[in-house]
Amino acid sequence: METITSDIAIIGAGGAGLRAAIALAQADPRLRIALISKVYPMRSHTCAAEGGAAGVIKGDDSLEQHFNDTVGGGDWLCDQDAVDYLVQEAPKELLQLEHWGCPWSRELDGSVAVRPFGGMKIQRTWFAADKTGFHLLHTLFQTSLQFSSIERYDEYYATDLLVDEGRCCGLTAIEMRSGQMRQFRARAVIIAGGGAGRMFPFTTNGAIKTGDGMALAYRAGVPLKDMEFVQYHPTGLPSTGTLLTEACRGEGGVLLNKHGRRFLQDYGMGPETPIGKPVLKTMELGPRDRLSQAFWHEQKKGNMVTTQWGDAMLLDMRHLGEQKINERLPLVRDMSISYMGVDPVRDPVPVRPVVHYMMGGIHTDIRAATPLAGLYAAGECACVSINGANRLGSNSLTELLVFGRRAALSAMEYLASDPGRGNSQAIDAQAEAARARVRALFQKSGGESIAGLRKEMMHTLEQHAGIYRSGEGLSEACATLAALRRRYANIELHDKTNVYNTDLLQALELGSMLDCAEAVAVSALERRESRGAHQRLDFTERDDARYLKHSLASFQGAAAPRVDYSDVVITKSQPGVRDYSGGHA
Ligand SMILES: Cc1cc2nc3c(=O)[nH]c(=O)nc-3n(C[C@H](O)[C@H](O)[C@H](O)COP(=O)(O)OP(=O)(O)OC[C@H]3O[C@@H](n4cnc5c(N)ncnc54)[C@H](O)[C@@H]3O)c2cc1C
């Protein structure tokens, strides 16, 4: 098997992977960096981010307020030392992007503009119109091209981590163009593989978000942390699941039920503010978990409008006017017209909650280090944890910059301890075993179809692990997902060729999703309380005495994962009441 040797291998060339690669290349030009991605870097999901990235920049804001919004928004499940690090580093990272050429939108006086965002009680979200992710990723990508030490392996699909003597020593990946397995030997590995929203049928997530990075670490013995916390974004287009950014509401858009009522005032998020006035702290700029839950209740009461794609609420932006919509929300206008046939300048747009983000992920400490020596993780695949039980919008782009860089610095410190490369023969044997496992997929003829199993998985999660959950439903989900994992052993590939075999890749992605899905369901069943995005109909209250803890799901082969708990780091903010009823700012 062809072996590619580097100092550090990075899995993923989205925002987190590129930021890590640049930090490494800048710190030591002698380092050889392998940047491995299953898609061309600009096709990573970061490119799809719309609304912006949070960081304190204006005089009326402070690091303390960014900290408090994040910790309260996360229902006190965030590690507060990590949040402190995030808010301190955020402005530096966003300014760094400015210096690398990111075209941040401006105020009239030429200073960087910020907009309000959900759960942020002060305006602190930097943006580039409503195409922030595109510009951010482009800036990182073009910067990375300056460094010859970053060797790109685009369209390589990572299948397994290589571990020897308790250290991560590399990975195996399929070169998609030839179908051949390659071995990447490295002294340290950073996983930046993104999220896993594709486990659900209705999601804003691009097709590549199948939890591969999480599954790679999980199968290598690293726990997945807080997997029960799955974020629904309140405003997706019912036809496609395409996101209409929170910036729609940040700019002043309002949510109505079928009676034309701004119903959020009935769910502890009032008082109603005059349309056109800033709505900070309250109403439409409440946090995502609360807004999605309010939708669920209104739907039960029959207060939603009916569309050919199911029930929806209305996002009314007409009062913003054509000029502002074109300047601040051009993509939103385009997409509403293209996918719904509705022009937001003239009519309210139907929207409904949609799976958006995984708060949980690979268990890392504040240094972005996993418990496996030599393995680091950053970005959406990681749980450091700054998002706790509910991420605030616009903290994620910031997180991937801050912790992408942090993972790189920690990996460099590890290399300085001269960890070696492990036993070559033992690693070769592992790589061969990984290749054999993939080849075995070609031989199977059990008759299970990839699409069939995927559909059942999605349906199970949507039905039982959605906005509201119950013990009974989650038990059923665990049983179904365990059965699906067994049936996965009998999937049959129809395409047996080597070149760009998407059948094979989808089979491997399904394997990743099934592992992550089971971790979600089992962790959710075990958490017998309601907190943030995890709402139980049978345990409706937050229970700090028992569950002010991170869940840690550990892979157990064919058996269900084991769930343990670890303490949340609390430094200065004791758990309190999440209050979003404070009137407008
Ligand atoms: C529509 C949308 C809008 C959003 N808007 C915002 C916003 O305005 N503000 C905000 O803060 N957040 C936003 N988010 C969330 C945020 O964009 C993501 O959480 C973040 O971009 C994830 O970045 P990442 O680098 O971790 O992963 P990604 O950008 O998803 O990159 C993952 C990388 O991993 C690679 N990879 C995965 N599996 C493998 C494998 N097996 N082998 C090799 N490579 C692999 C992929 O090729 C890719 O390069 C939004 C998300 C969506 C979906």
Side-chain angles (χ1 to χ4, degrees):
M1 186 185 313
E2 189 182 314
T3 301
I4 296 150
T5 305
S6 61
D7 293 304
I8 299 194
I10 303 173
I11 303 172
L18 283 170
R19 183 66 189 93
I22 294 168
L24 289 167
Q26 279 185 325
D28 185 351
R30 293 165 305 172
L31 282 179
R32 283 171 305 162
I33 304 152
L35 183 61
I36 298 147
S37 173
K38 67 179 175 178
V39 295
Y40 189 73
M42 280 304 294
R43 288 181 176 268
S44 305
H45 190 75
T46 299
C47 191
E50 298 172 21
V56 172
I57 182 86
K58 298 287 186 195
D60 59 344
D61 200 1
S62 67
L63 299 181
E64 193 185 349
Q65 294 184 81
H66 191 183
F67 172 94
N68 285 335
D69 286 352
T70 303
V71 171
D75 223 346
W76 279 273
L77 202 69
C78 316
D79 280 345
Q80 296 182 9
D81 53 351
V83 177
D84 252 332
Y85 185 72
L86 174 92
V87 302
Q88 276 167 31
E89 295 299 308
K92 298 181 208 163
E93 282 297 313
L94 299 179
L95 267 181
Q96 175 63 74
L97 276 196
E98 158 91 7
H99 295 157
W100 284 336
C102 188
W104 297 118
S105 291
R106 301 282 166 179
E107 310 284 11
L108 284 177
D109 66 3
S111 62
V112 168
V114 286
R115 64 170 35 136
F117 238 66
M120 301 271 185
K121 294 176 182 170
I122 284 205
Q123 304 195 21
R124 66 169 68 92
T125 298
W126 304 41
F127 59 99
D130 56 359
K131 299 172 187 169
T132 309
F134 169 83
H135 290 297
L136 184 145
L137 193 61
H138 213 288
T139 303
L140 290 172
F141 185 44
Q142 72 188 14
T143 303
S144 77
L145 296 176
Q146 296 170 20
F147 301 100
S148 57
S149 58
I150 302 175
E151 286 172 30
R152 289 222 324 277
Y153 295 89
D154 297 342
E155 301 188 335
Y156 280 68
Y157 181 95
T159 64
D160 291 84
L161 294 179
L162 299 170
V163 180
D164 187 50
E165 293 167 357
R167 284 172 298 166
C168 187
C169 303
L171 60 126
T172 51
I174 301 167
E175 183 192 48
M176 286 153 65
R177 189 177 46 171
S178 66
Q180 300 304 309
M181 187 71 100
R182 306 282 183 237
Q183 194 184 154
F184 287 85
R185 292 281 186 90
R187 294 189 291 150
V189 173
I190 299 174
I191 304 185
R198 280 277 158 173
M199 295 182 292
F200 287 78
F202 190 65
T203 174
T204 62
N205 284 194
I208 63 167
K209 295 189 77 173
T210 54
D212 297 334
M214 296 179 191
L216 282 168
Y218 181 53
R219 289 184 204 132
V222 176
L224 295 181
K225 185 157 76 190
D226 294 339
M227 288 296 277
E228 59 272 41
F229 298 100
V230 177
Q231 177 162 80
Y232 278 74
H233 192 295
T235 59
L237 293 179
S239 55
T240 52
T242 309
L243 180 77
L244 290 197
T245 169
E246 204 157 86
C248 300
R249 288 168 280 129
E251 297 295 346
V254 296
L255 290 171
L256 307 173
N257 66 14
K258 76 174 181 195
H259 308 296
R261 180 171 172 77
R262 287 175 71 192
F263 59 91
L264 291 170
Q265 60 192 294
D266 305 329
Y267 297 90
M269 278 177 284
E272 183 173 10
T273 45
I275 289 186
K277 285 267 182 317
V279 287
L280 282 175
K281 296 187 185 176
T282 173
M283 294 293 283
E284 281 79 7
L285 283 177
R288 293 176 179 176
D289 54 343
R290 293 281 171 86
L291 264 62
S292 297
Q293 289 151 20
F295 171 89
W296 186 91
H297 289 289
E298 285 288 285
Q299 190 181 30
K300 290 260 172 252
K301 291 180 195 163
N303 286 344
M304 292 288 113
V305 295
T306 309
T307 74
Q308 59 178 298
W309 302 281
D311 290 344
M313 53 193 162
L314 293 171
L315 175 59
D316 194 349
M317 293 174 273
R318 288 173 296 181
H319 51 282
L320 303 183
E322 186 163 10
Q323 193 185 349
K324 186 163 186 184
I325 290 179
N326 285 346
E327 182 202 320
R328 294 284 174 98
L329 302 166
L331 183 64
V332 163
R333 187 174 185 194
D334 269 4
M335 293 191 303
S336 304
I337 294 171
S338 302
Y339 299 130
M340 294 294 295
V342 177
D343 182 350
V345 170
R346 289 183 184 84
D347 293 295
V349 189
V351 288
R352 56 162 271 206
V354 54
V355 168
H356 187 53
Y357 184 87
M358 299 293 296
M359 266 71 77
I362 302 166
H363 176 35
T364 70
D365 62 16
I366 186 174
R367 299 164 49 249
T370 75
L372 178 61
L375 185 67
Y376 301 82
E380 190 171 341
C381 70
C383 182
V384 56
S385 93
I386 61 120
N387 298 307
N390 170 60
R391 172 180 75 101
L392 292 193
S394 75
N395 263 350
S396 171
L397 292 178
T398 307
E399 176 184 4
L400 61 82
L401 296 169
V402 170
F403 287 96
R405 175 170 170 274
R406 181 68 242 204
L409 299 182
S410 300
M412 297 248 316
E413 284 164 22
Y414 173 73
L415 291 196
S417 72
D418 199 13
R421 290 184 174 275
N423 178 317
S424 193
Q425 278 173 334
I427 297 172
D428 269 345
Q430 275 181 45
E432 280 306 332
R435 170 154 74 178
R437 265 197 307 281
V438 171
R439 293 314 300 177
L441 283 171
F442 285 92
Q443 316 303 329
K444 294 193 172 152
S445 54
E448 293 285 3
S449 81
I450 299 167
L453 293 190
R454 193 170 50 208
K455 206 167 166 184
E456 284 187 53
M457 169 192 69
M458 288 174 165
H459 176 72
T460 304
L461 286 183
E462 184 179 47
Q463 200 178 6
H464 299 305
I467 297 175
Y468 280 92
R469 300 143 174 207
S470 72
E472 199 183 338
L474 287 167
S475 300
E476 201 179 317
C478 292
T480 309
L481 290 166
L484 290 175
R485 282 183 68 220
R486 281 194 296 279
R487 286 167 57 194
Y488 178 75
N490 297 323
I491 51 167
E492 193 167 335
L493 299 186
H494 295 291
D495 182 356
K496 312 264 181 186
T497 60
N498 280 326
V499 177
Y500 284 111
N501 186 335
T502 49
D503 216 16
L504 171 65
L505 298 174
Q506 287 187 25
L508 294 169
E509 288 177 337
L510 175 61
S512 300
M513 288 193 285
L514 283 171
D515 286 344
C516 292
E518 198 180 32
V520 169
V522 173
S523 305
L525 177 63
E526 293 300 321
R527 186 176 284 276
R528 294 178 179 82
E529 67 158 353
S530 289
R531 182 187 298 270
H534 173 71
Q535 292 292 313
R536 292 271 304 243
L537 293 165
D538 45 353
F539 295 95
T540 53
E541 299 299 318
R542 193 174 84 192
D543 182 352
D544 288 334
R546 292 175 67 202
Y547 290 108
L548 184 56
K549 301 219 178 280
H550 297 297
S551 65
L552 295 170
S554 300
F555 186 65
Q556 305 292 313
R562 193 188 67 227
V563 180
D564 301 304
Y565 292 91
S566 70
D567 288 339
V568 175
V569 179
I570 294 190
T571 55
K572 52 192 177 194
S573 171
Q574 291 304 319
V577 178
R578 293 173 73 205
D579 182 14
Y580 296 97
S581 62
H584 62 92

